[in-house]
Amino acid sequence: MRTISNLLSAMFVIFFTYYLINNPEVFDVFSKIKLESIFILLFVKFLTLYLNGLFNKKLILIYEIKLEQFEALYVASITYLGNLYFPARVGAGLRLAYFKKFYKLNNSYLLIIFGYFFIVSLFINSIFGLFSIFFIENRQGSIGIFWIVIFMLSIASTTYLLVKKFNLKIVNPKSKVQKSILDFTNKAREGWNKITSLRGTNLYLISIYVINYFLFFLEILLIFLFLEELLNIPSLVFYNSISVFSSLLGLTPAAIGIKEFLILGTNQLLNIEISRLAQILIIERAISVLFSSIPITISLIFNKIKK
């Protein structure tokens, strides 16, 4: 996985560097965005970080673990930093490692926490993506059909998992290895059933992610507005869904290369000038890196207090 991630990242960096060298006017975008616009974008990203903290706090409470609000914000911060600077969704791994180290949470429950967040994210993202694409005029092409199929399959599979109740297996294992595997799978099934059976909690967590999705969308909308790039709402929602989808894949740090590949590959639907699209992607990346100073500060403060 790491080899694939490094290869994809290297290929993208080489290609994008070549493009920037031959199109230096792309950097003019930094003179077009105002300082107050940057602060607004950073504030929107902080709201997203805060909501991620609330999501973690409510989800882990199912296993009778009570996080303080600042601790929940810390967990959201290390998750953000891990996903931004490392491949394979390392941020999610850091979150689980924290719960394992300080709360001795069972490994199967840790797996369920990761899976639940992924499934809810994919479920909400696919609903908005599918809804938006039906309002895009040239959706009848192969690219439009491809994404309709992807979103429909994602909605069907995640809906099934969110309502599914798994039966626990009761058998007499013949070896310690079989017993360990059975115990792990039964714990995972038990953990999943526990989460999905709490309707109020599910509604709360899904609502938080819906709000988060709109904050992602607001960030994209503001970038387009600040750069005076006009795009209709369905196309912006579709752009946002593709962006979030690439982040969920998490093959490379901050989905670098993956996001750009998917956005450029679907530009037939978006119909944005390539140089303009490059400027938008650069601003997105720059804001993400600039914002990382906030979760870094939160992490340093929390670790100092923890000592």
Side-chain angles (χ1 to χ4, degrees):
M1 178 66 75
R2 180 173 294 181
T3 302
I4 295 174
S5 172
N6 291 337
L7 180 61
L8 290 173
S9 298
M11 289 174 61
F12 170 75
V13 169
I14 293 171
F15 170 78
F16 207 59
T17 301
Y18 175 80
Y19 177 82
L20 293 177
I21 290 173
N22 288 276
N23 300 272
E25 67 277 3
V26 169
F27 291 107
D28 293 343
V29 68
F30 291 108
S31 63
K32 296 177 181 178
I33 191 164
K34 299 178 181 178
L35 184 61
E36 55 266 32
S37 300
I38 294 175
F39 280 113
I40 292 172
L41 290 170
L42 292 178
F43 178 70
V44 171
K45 291 192 79 69
F46 179 78
L47 292 178
T48 302
L49 186 74
Y50 184 81
L51 284 176
N52 282 336
L54 290 180
F55 191 100
N56 290 325
K57 185 177 180 180
K58 188 68 173 181
L59 181 57
I60 202 69
L61 185 61
I62 294 171
Y63 301 112
E64 300 178 355
I65 296 174
K66 296 182 180 180
L67 298 181
E68 297 294 333
Q69 189 54 54
F70 190 61
E71 184 180 14
L73 189 60
Y74 166 75
V75 173
S77 295
I78 60 174
T79 303
Y80 177 88
L81 293 171
N83 289 338
L84 179 66
Y85 291 113
F86 299 96
R89 297 191 63 79
V90 164
L94 292 175
R95 175 177 57 199
L96 300 184
Y98 178 83
F99 291 145
K100 175 72 174 179
K101 180 178 180 180
F102 292 100
Y103 294 101
K104 311 302 179 186
L105 200 62
N106 187 284
N107 286 333
S108 57
Y109 289 167
L110 292 173
L111 179 65
I112 291 304
I113 289 173
F114 174 82
Y116 183 83
F117 182 84
F118 180 88
I119 288 168
V120 168
S121 302
L122 186 59
F123 173 68
I124 300 301
N125 188 62
S126 298
I127 287 177
F128 282 108
L130 183 62
F131 181 77
S132 66
I133 203 170
F134 284 120
F135 291 90
I136 297 176
E137 292 182 1
N138 54 339
R139 65 182 180 276
Q140 292 86 358
S142 58
I143 295 175
I145 293 173
F146 170 81
W147 281 108
I148 288 174
V149 171
I150 291 295
F151 288 142
M152 290 183 70
L153 289 175
S154 297
I155 292 170
S157 58
T158 52
T159 300
Y160 171 79
L161 289 170
L162 287 171
V163 300
K164 173 70 175 177
K165 297 296 182 289
F166 293 96
N167 296 322
L168 303 184
K169 291 185 176 180
I170 302 175
V171 295
N172 294 319
K174 297 180 180 180
S175 67
K176 290 183 178 180
V177 174
Q178 287 181 329
K179 184 178 185 304
S180 297
I181 294 174
L182 181 63
D183 288 343
F184 181 87
T185 55
N186 275 341
K187 279 286 186 182
R189 290 168 185 238
E190 179 188 350
W192 185 260
N193 291 343
K194 192 171 185 178
I195 293 176
T196 55
S197 63
L198 299 172
R199 293 186 178 180
T201 299
N202 268 272
L203 181 61
Y204 179 89
L205 292 172
I206 290 174
S207 298
I208 286 180
Y209 192 84
V210 169
I211 297 172
N212 239 350
Y213 181 90
F214 279 110
L215 287 174
F216 293 143
F217 170 77
L218 178 60
E219 181 186 347
I220 297 297
L221 175 62
L222 289 173
I223 290 174
F224 273 78
L225 290 176
F226 293 153
L227 297 180
E228 299 178 350
E229 180 67 31
L230 299 178
L231 199 64
N232 59 52
I233 295 299
S235 295
L236 281 171
V237 173
F238 179 70
Y239 179 102
N240 189 49
S241 290
I242 299 301
S243 180
V244 174
F245 187 84
S246 67
S247 298
L248 291 174
L249 292 177
L251 294 175
T252 59
I256 187 169
I258 305 297
K259 176 177 178 175
E260 286 74 10
F261 174 79
L262 292 177
I263 294 294
L264 289 170
T266 56
N267 197 38
Q268 176 185 330
L269 301 178
L270 299 170
N271 197 26
I272 305 173
E273 186 182 342
I274 296 298
S275 60
R276 199 65 168 160
L277 189 57
Q279 290 182 329
I280 292 166
L281 291 168
I282 286 174
I283 288 296
E284 281 192 73
R285 295 294 184 188
I287 293 296
S288 295
V289 172
L290 183 61
F291 175 76
S292 68
S293 62
I294 295 177
I296 287 173
T297 302
I298 291 171
S299 300
L300 292 173
I301 293 172
F302 180 83
N303 285 320
K304 188 173 183 180
I305 295 173
K306 192 83 172 176
K307 291 179 180 180

